[in-house]
Amino acid sequence: MKCNKIWTISGIILFALICFIFVRILSGFQESDTQDNVIEDTVSQQDLPDLESVEPFVDEELYLYIKGVYEEIDWDIQFQLGDEVKYDLYREQFIKLLKEEISVVNKESGYETTLSQFGEIRDDPDYPEYAPEHYNYYFYDVDGDGAPELGITNNQRFVYIFKYEEEADRVVLWDEYIGGIDLMGTGKFHWSGSSGAWGMMGLDQNGDYIFLARFGVEGMPKYESDGDDGWAYFVALPDYVEIEEWMLSQATYKDVIYANYFFRVTKEQFDELEGQYLEAVHESYRELEEVTYTYDELLN
C-alpha cells in the first residue's frame, strides 16, 4: 500500500514535469516566430491611425522633409587609424590576447576570461579547438578616441570589438555584434536582418548609438499595390527627429524596439533615399579591406 502511494505521487510529479517541458517548448517556438517577423510583430497600433485610413504613400511635403533629413545624415566613410605612435604598443597587447597570455574583461559584468572561452569563439562549431589563425582581424580606430581597437570576426556570425585601456593596462570588450552586422568605418556600422529591414547606425565612443537610418520592404498584397514590382517600400526617420502630428497621421507602422516610425514611399523615392546609404556601404567594403588582417599579418 505504501509502495503504491509512492508510485502514485511519482506519477503525478512526472506528469507535471512533462506538462512544464511541453509549455516551455511551445513558448520557445512562439518566441522564435515573433523574432523572425520583426516588422509585423513590433507594430504599435496605439500610436498609429487605422491602416485603412492611411494614404498609400506619404504626400510630397512629408517626402521632401524626409529627404532633407537624409541629406543631413553624415554618410561619409572614414576608417581612421588613430595615433600611429600607439600602434605597436596596442598591437602587442592584442597579440597577447590572441595568444592567451592575458585575459579579456567584460566591463558590464566584470567577468574575466581567456579568448578561447569567450562567447561565439568558444562555441564556434567550425573550430571546436581554439584556432585564431582561422579568423579575420580589423585593426583601426573603431570608436574615434584616437587609439586603435581590435575586431575579430569569422565573417559570418559574429564581430567582437576589443579595446586596450592603457591606464588600467587591460583589454576589455567594447562591443559585440552577432549576425548581420558589418563595420562601416569609425563610429559607423550597418546591418541587414531577416525581417526585411536594414540600415546604418552611428555610435559614440561608448558604443551607444547616435542615430539610426532604416529601410524596409514588405511583400504585397498586404498594402495597396501601385503596380510596381510587388513590394511595398518604407523608410524610417532617425529617432532623434521629433515626429509631429502631421507626420504621424501618415506613418504606416512603428517599430517598438527602436521607436522608429516607418513611412511608405514609392519605389522611385525609396531608391533616391537609399542611394546615399548604398554608396556608403560600397565605399566601406573597399576601405575595410585596407584595415583587415589575417592572423599572420597581424603578428608580423
Side-chain angles (χ1 to χ4, degrees):
M1 186 74 175
K2 193 173 184 179
C3 183
N4 289 339
K5 182 181 289 187
I6 292 173
W7 277 108
T8 301
I9 295 173
S10 299
I12 293 172
I13 294 173
L14 180 60
F15 177 78
L17 181 61
I18 292 173
C19 290
F20 174 79
I21 293 173
F22 177 79
V23 169
R24 292 293 295 170
I25 292 173
L26 182 60
S27 64
F29 282 131
Q30 291 172 340
E31 181 178 353
S32 176
D33 287 343
T34 300
Q35 292 172 345
D36 288 340
N37 294 281
V38 174
I39 280 188
E40 274 194 32
D41 296 338
T42 59
V43 174
S44 175
Q45 295 294 347
Q46 294 178 351
D47 298 320
L48 299 177
D50 187 341
L51 284 179
E52 293 182 0
S53 68
V54 177
E55 293 296 322
F57 306 100
V58 298
D59 61 27
E60 186 68 11
E61 181 183 6
L62 181 51
Y63 173 69
L64 291 176
Y65 179 85
I66 295 172
K67 181 180 177 182
V69 171
Y70 269 66
E71 288 174 346
E72 292 176 357
I73 292 176
D74 180 13
W75 300 101
D76 186 39
I77 300 302
Q78 293 184 14
F79 285 82
Q80 299 174 9
L81 300 180
D83 185 355
E84 294 187 11
V85 174
K86 297 183 176 182
Y87 258 50
D88 287 341
L89 170 63
Y90 281 56
R91 188 174 65 88
E92 288 174 5
Q93 298 303 315
F94 291 134
I95 289 173
K96 288 180 181 179
L97 176 69
L98 297 177
K99 291 183 175 181
E100 301 201 287
E101 296 173 4
I102 60 175
S103 300
V104 60
V105 178
N106 187 318
K107 293 182 69 173
E108 293 186 0
S109 66
Y111 181 69
E112 185 174 340
T113 184
T114 56
L115 208 55
S116 64
Q117 299 303 308
F118 186 86
E120 294 289 321
I121 296 175
R122 177 196 61 200
D123 300 326
D124 193 338
D126 296 326
Y127 306 108
E129 300 293 329
Y130 178 57
E133 66 274 11
H134 292 294
Y135 299 124
N136 279 340
Y137 300 89
Y138 308 124
F139 191 51
Y140 72 98
D141 186 4
V142 177
D143 63 0
D145 69 342
E149 282 74 41
L150 180 72
I152 302 179
T153 180
N154 68 345
N155 298 315
Q156 294 178 357
R157 294 188 310 279
F158 64 81
V159 178
Y160 291 116
I161 308 296
F162 297 102
K163 183 179 186 65
Y164 175 58
E165 295 182 338
E166 191 171 351
E167 291 186 5
D169 190 27
R170 65 175 186 173
V171 174
V172 299
L173 174 68
W174 182 74
D175 217 333
E176 59 183 321
Y177 305 97
I178 308 299
I181 300 289
D182 288 309
L183 299 163
M184 205 174 174
T186 298
K188 292 188 178 72
F189 295 77
H190 73 91
W191 90 99
S192 58
S194 60
S195 62
W198 58 92
M200 181 180 82
M201 66 179 76
L203 304 178
D204 63 19
Q205 291 185 7
N206 296 318
D208 299 322
Y209 76 87
I210 303 170
F211 71 86
L212 200 59
R214 304 183 72 201
F215 306 88
V217 296
E218 189 166 332
M220 298 293 189
K222 180 177 179 181
Y223 298 92
E224 181 182 340
S225 174
D226 62 340
D228 50 23
D229 58 359
W231 292 96
Y233 295 86
F234 305 90
V235 295
L237 283 168
D239 54 357
Y240 59 77
V241 175
E242 183 177 351
I243 304 297
E244 300 178 14
E245 191 65 32
W246 69 277
M247 304 179 199
L248 186 61
S249 64
Q250 299 183 58
T252 307
Y253 63 85
K254 178 184 179 182
D255 185 326
V256 296
I257 296 177
Y258 293 102
N260 291 128
Y261 287 95
F262 277 81
F263 300 88
R264 188 178 175 197
V265 295
T266 67
K267 184 179 187 306
E268 290 73 22
Q269 292 170 336
F270 182 87
D271 290 342
E272 183 175 17
L273 295 172
E274 190 196 30
Q276 302 169 95
Y277 163 75
L278 292 179
E279 184 177 340
V281 169
H282 294 153
E283 179 64 24
S284 72
Y285 283 147
R286 289 189 293 267
E287 295 193 21
L288 183 61
E289 293 181 2
E290 300 297 320
V291 294
T292 301
Y293 303 89
T294 65
Y295 182 72
D296 289 337
E297 289 171 342
L298 190 65
L299 263 59
N300 299 316

